[in-house]
Amino acid sequence: MYLTSATIFVHNFKMPSTEFSVIVRRMPAHLSKFCRLRRRSYHSYDHLPYNPYTPSQEKMLSSALKHVPEYGFVKQSLVQGCRDAGYLDTTHAVFQDGVFDLVKFHLYTERNKLAALKPQIDEEEGKSIGKRIRRYCTERLKANEPIISKWTEAIAIMGLPQNIPQSLEELAKLSDEIWFLVDEKTSDFDWYTKRASLAAVYSSTELYMTQDNSPRFEKTYQFLDRRLAVVQNAGSSISNMASWASFTCFASINLLQSQFSRG
Amino acid sequence: MAFLPRQALRPSHFLRLRQVVHRRVFNVRYLSGSAPLGNSNAESKVGKEQGTQATSKTTHFGFKDVPEYEKEELVREVFSSVAKSYDVMNDVMSFGVHRLWKDHFVAKLDPGRRPGGEPLSILDVAGGTGDIAFRMLDWASDIHNDHQSKVLVVDINDDMLKEGHKRSLTTRYADGSRIEFKVQNAEFLDAVPDNSQDLYTVAFGIRNFTNIPAALRAAHRILKPGGVFACLEFSKVNVGILDMIYQQYSFNIIPLMGQLVAADRDSYQYLVESIARFPSQKEFAGMIKDAGFEISGDGYEDLTFGVAAIHTGVKV
């Protein structure tokens, strides 16, 4: 109970609210050049979350997202967003990656909204990890529904060579976020395989969703269920395989040792 | 005293410029009283007195230290001497890549009046020959069909502005309704009112400013809220091996090319030294933030592995 309330307490800090943002420990100047800036692609209790957007940028980008269903992920949405926020037509030039900044903002805000759903999802789905992961994935996919008609443009922008490292980082962060919110506590190599498999499931489902015309995206969620089932089966069959292989190995060695000792 | 010849530049003029530059620089050096050059005894004594007053306010001119009040004049002389062959030298030094950098700079800023918006007012600082100004006007006219946005080109050097004006007469902006040339000091920008410009650009000029923070504050003053500060400048190469090659090229080959093509080794020596003295990308982004601008992400974009970089900031 204490742990749950502690995690909820931390989750409140994870919201991108402007009052709590950017309290980051600063390294001494002579050491900071040896380590990357305090960006990381996993959740951490020791470092407060890093909000890369200033309040005015958040205002501009969130207004720009409202224009995406009409214009798409193009410069015009960004210009309209800057105008709506009360700035000039030239202000879009400050965004270093142009329209990719708009895509990243969407990914960032939707990822951060998942933490607020934790109490509700924990109550409704109980202890089952599979069900809770499915819930988080569906909630995240629902957030794409307003702009799904233009999402293929965003995928194309994310696939540009100069943008690929940041796109993969966002996917990794989403996967880590979901696994963190289901309170998984692995500390061996499974930490990586779990996140990699969830990232693959989520990205393939998102791609499927761009081509889905079914009412309320039912086919997408069925596709998600199938992908998650494959991962779970693969996960258990691989660990069964590993158990069988290790047992067979040790049993054979013991047998041979007993043969030799008999002389 | 240096003179700025208006007639055709001859090798003897460059010889005189070199003498002037050396004399001014060495006067400051010989503060300790060691023997000065030839016939400049009287000047050196005066220099010593001035020097002791001015040691508290020196700045760098390439790798040499000069009093602040002198740097402006020295920079003006450098650019007067290179004005005519400026573009040829840029092409030779960067193998034409500077054109790509400038094109990318303008494409990134994407200036132009949008449907439902107002015509833009752009200030191009230290843009004497008008490279960036013409590119911006062409972009606005051709891409956005905007025939009303204006550019004000300012520079500390009248010769460079005259070059730019001469060049504008061969373009479609010859009537002067969309482009204007003025002599201004970037640290003050006296003739530019507060909160009046949409865009402030400076391409390959800011490293020559005596007081960069003052220039950034002046930029902040004259921009409208929402206006963008954009700076294209040489910067630090971020890949170790390439950096070594680049340093060798800069300090060995460029002054030699200056000597061969323009018969002016010293000006190009100053240019490469000023590049080396300019702060790194992150430091400069910090200076931009200190002047009151807001940056996005790191605040800069590297071009050609960091040989050049574009810094942008917005006034909010």
Side-chain angles (χ1 to χ4, degrees), chain A residues 106-117:
Chain A
H106 171 76
L107 296 174
Y108 173 83
T109 43
E110 297 307 334
R111 171 165 49 90
N112 281 330
K113 284 181 187 161
L114 291 176
L117 300 170

Side-chain angles (χ1 to χ4, degrees), chain A residues 86-113:
Chain A
Y87 298 110
L88 305 171
D89 288 350
T90 44
T91 314
H92 70 275
V94 76
F95 294 111
Q96 294 298 332
D97 296 320
V99 197
F100 184 51
D101 266 321
L102 189 54
V103 176
K104 272 194 293 184
F105 183 73
H106 171 76
L107 296 174
Y108 173 83
T109 43
E110 297 307 334
R111 171 165 49 90
N112 281 330
K113 284 181 187 161

Side-chain angles (χ1 to χ4, degrees), chain A residues 1-252:
Chain A
M1 186 57 197
Y2 171 74
L3 196 59
T4 321
S5 56
T7 52
I8 291 171
F9 180 72
V10 172
H11 295 160
N12 285 336
F13 274 103
K14 279 158 64 40
M15 293 303 290
S17 59
T18 56
E19 300 89 61
F20 298 122
S21 61
V22 202
I23 308 169
V24 181
R25 276 189 272 179
R26 287 191 180 277
M27 297 205 64
H30 62 283
L31 291 177
S32 63
K33 62 183 177 207
F34 293 120
C35 73
R36 255 187 116 214
L37 285 178
R38 55 266 168 208
R39 290 188 190 127
R40 48 185 158 74
S41 52
Y42 57 90
H43 176 85
S44 163
Y45 283 112
D46 295 324
H47 301 266
L48 286 174
Y50 171 63
N51 184 353
Y53 301 106
T54 62
S56 52
Q57 285 165 12
E58 278 185 15
K59 215 164 119 191
M60 284 190 257
L61 290 168
S62 47
S63 334
L65 278 177
K66 296 195 177 77
H67 292 283
V68 166
E70 188 185 345
Y71 300 119
F73 282 97
V74 287
K75 185 90 57 97
Q76 193 173 0
S77 307
L78 211 46
V79 171
Q80 290 287 350
C82 292
R83 242 190 231 172
D84 293 345
Y87 298 110
L88 305 171
D89 288 350
T90 44
T91 314
H92 70 275
V94 76
F95 294 111
Q96 294 298 332
D97 296 320
V99 197
F100 184 51
D101 266 321
L102 189 54
V103 176
K104 272 194 293 184
F105 183 73
H106 171 76
L107 296 174
Y108 173 83
T109 43
E110 297 307 334
R111 171 165 49 90
N112 281 330
K113 284 181 187 161
L114 291 176
L117 300 170
K118 185 172 164 65
Q120 181 194 357
I121 289 178
D122 278 350
E123 203 186 307
E124 287 173 13
E125 307 291 345
K127 288 275 173 225
S128 161
I129 287 186
K131 286 210 181 101
R132 282 188 288 160
I133 286 184
R134 188 191 175 280
R135 256 320 275 286
Y136 283 114
C137 287
T138 50
E139 293 297 333
R140 178 60 187 83
L141 288 166
K142 280 204 188 102
N144 278 352
E145 283 179 13
I147 51 167
I148 197 64
S149 54
K150 306 290 180 192
W151 192 244
T152 42
E153 290 176 10
I155 291 177
I157 291 165
M158 287 196 278
L160 289 172
Q162 67 266 28
N163 295 336
I164 284 177
Q166 291 182 71
S167 317
L168 290 176
E169 192 182 328
E170 282 294 329
L171 181 60
K173 279 183 174 160
L174 177 64
S175 174
D176 177 60
E177 181 78 9
I178 294 177
W179 273 113
F180 174 76
L181 291 171
V182 301
D183 302 319
E184 65 91 34
K185 302 248 185 311
T186 340
S187 34
D188 54 3
F189 195 76
D190 283 353
W191 191 94
Y192 297 96
T193 55
K194 282 177 174 172
R195 278 151 181 76
S197 55
L198 182 59
V201 164
Y202 176 79
S203 54
S204 55
T205 313
E206 203 180 54
L207 197 54
Y208 184 94
M209 195 174 173
T210 60
Q211 303 297 318
D212 187 12
N213 294 322
S214 59
R216 292 187 307 279
F217 297 99
E218 284 158 358
K219 290 228 169 90
T220 304
Y221 299 121
Q222 288 163 11
F223 180 89
L224 176 66
D225 288 335
R226 290 198 297 274
R227 295 278 77 76
L228 287 172
V230 162
V231 167
Q232 279 172 333
N233 290 343
S236 60
S237 60
I238 286 171
S239 68
N240 288 345
M241 180 78 160
S243 314
W244 172 85
S246 60
F247 172 77
T248 311
C249 212
F250 287 124
S252 317

Side-chain angles (χ1 to χ4, degrees), chain B:
Chain B
M1 282 300 282
F3 66 97
L4 303 175
R6 297 280 183 250
Q7 66 271 38
L9 294 165
R10 292 194 289 277
S12 57
H13 294 156
F14 297 118
L15 192 60
R16 184 61 188 264
L17 172 66
R18 269 206 289 280
Q19 283 177 344
V20 165
V21 169
H22 277 132
R23 189 177 307 142
R24 287 195 176 201
V25 168
F26 282 122
N27 265 346
V28 176
R29 278 253 185 94
Y30 291 129
L31 292 175
S32 54
S34 52
L37 294 172
N39 57 353
S40 49
N41 270 328
E43 281 182 48
S44 76
K45 287 211 182 63
V46 171
K48 202 158 111 178
E49 278 154 32
Q50 280 179 344
T52 44
Q53 278 173 353
T55 36
S56 55
K57 286 197 98 161
T58 59
T59 182
H60 54 85
F61 180 73
F63 284 158
K64 308 172 184 74
D65 284 325
V66 301
E68 272 190 3
Y69 59 86
E70 284 206 3
K71 178 163 177 179
E72 199 179 297
E73 184 59 33
L74 289 170
V75 168
R76 194 179 287 129
E77 284 165 11
V78 164
F79 282 94
S80 289
S81 74
V82 306
K84 292 256 170 6
S85 55
Y86 188 65
D87 281 328
V88 171
M89 270 314 295
N90 277 343
D91 276 329
V92 171
M93 284 197 302
S94 65
F95 303 109
V97 180
H98 74 106
R99 292 169 198 273
L100 297 176
W101 290 335
K102 286 170 181 164
D103 288 340
H104 179 74
F105 183 59
V106 173
K108 182 180 176 133
L109 297 176
D110 198 10
R113 176 174 164 240
R114 300 301 203 276
E118 298 294 317
L120 298 183
S121 188
I122 304 172
L123 179 70
D124 185 23
V125 176
T129 50
D131 268 351
I132 297 290
F134 296 134
R135 278 180 168 83
M136 287 201 286
L137 288 171
D138 287 343
W139 184 275
S141 310
D142 298 336
I143 308 276
H144 294 291
N145 209 19
D146 168 13
H147 300 283
Q148 292 166 308
S149 296
K150 289 195 172 130
V151 179
L152 169 62
V153 181
V154 302
D155 200 303
I156 204 165
N157 187 305
D158 200 33
D159 292 323
M160 295 283 275
L161 288 173
K162 283 194 167 51
E163 257 319 296
H165 181 70
K166 216 168 68 181
R167 225 169 275 186
S168 77
L169 298 173
T170 61
T171 64
R172 44 185 154 157
Y173 315 111
D175 62 353
S177 60
R178 295 185 66 191
I179 188 164
E180 205 188 323
F181 297 89
K182 235 180 227 185
V183 174
Q184 288 280 283
N185 188 330
E187 292 162 27
F188 305 109
L189 294 174
D190 303 319
V192 186
D194 294 0
N195 299 323
S196 59
Q197 307 296 322
D198 292 278
L199 185 57
Y200 175 112
T201 58
V202 52
F204 301 120
I206 204 161
R207 70 181 188 280
N208 300 309
F209 293 177
T210 312
N211 188 346
I212 293 177
L216 294 172
R217 286 193 293 273
H220 193 265
R221 174 183 69 80
I222 58 102
L223 277 172
K224 292 179 192 166
V228 168
F229 166 89
C231 169
L232 170 64
E233 189 52 80
F234 289 109
S235 205
K236 304 284 184 248
V237 176
N238 46 27
V239 179
I241 301 169
L242 289 177
D243 191 27
M244 268 170 34
I245 300 174
Y246 177 63
Q247 298 289 339
Q248 292 301 316
Y249 172 72
S250 289
F251 286 97
N252 297 334
I253 302 189
I254 289 182
L256 182 63
M257 283 204 280
Q259 180 63 40
L260 293 174
V261 175
D264 185 3
R265 189 191 185 90
D266 286 326
S267 297
Y268 292 95
Q269 186 69 30
Y270 160 72
L271 286 176
V272 297
E273 286 175 0
S274 64
I275 294 172
R277 290 297 292 254
F278 191 68
S280 68
Q281 284 90 322
K282 288 197 174 54
E283 280 167 25
F284 189 51
M287 287 164 77
I288 291 174
K289 267 172 77 173
D290 290 339
F293 293 102
E294 243 182 43
I295 60 176
S296 162
D298 290 329
Y300 64 89
E301 180 190 348
D302 277 333
L303 302 176
T304 324
F305 303 108
V307 175
I310 299 177
H311 283 79
T312 45
V314 63
K315 171 178 175 175
V316 286

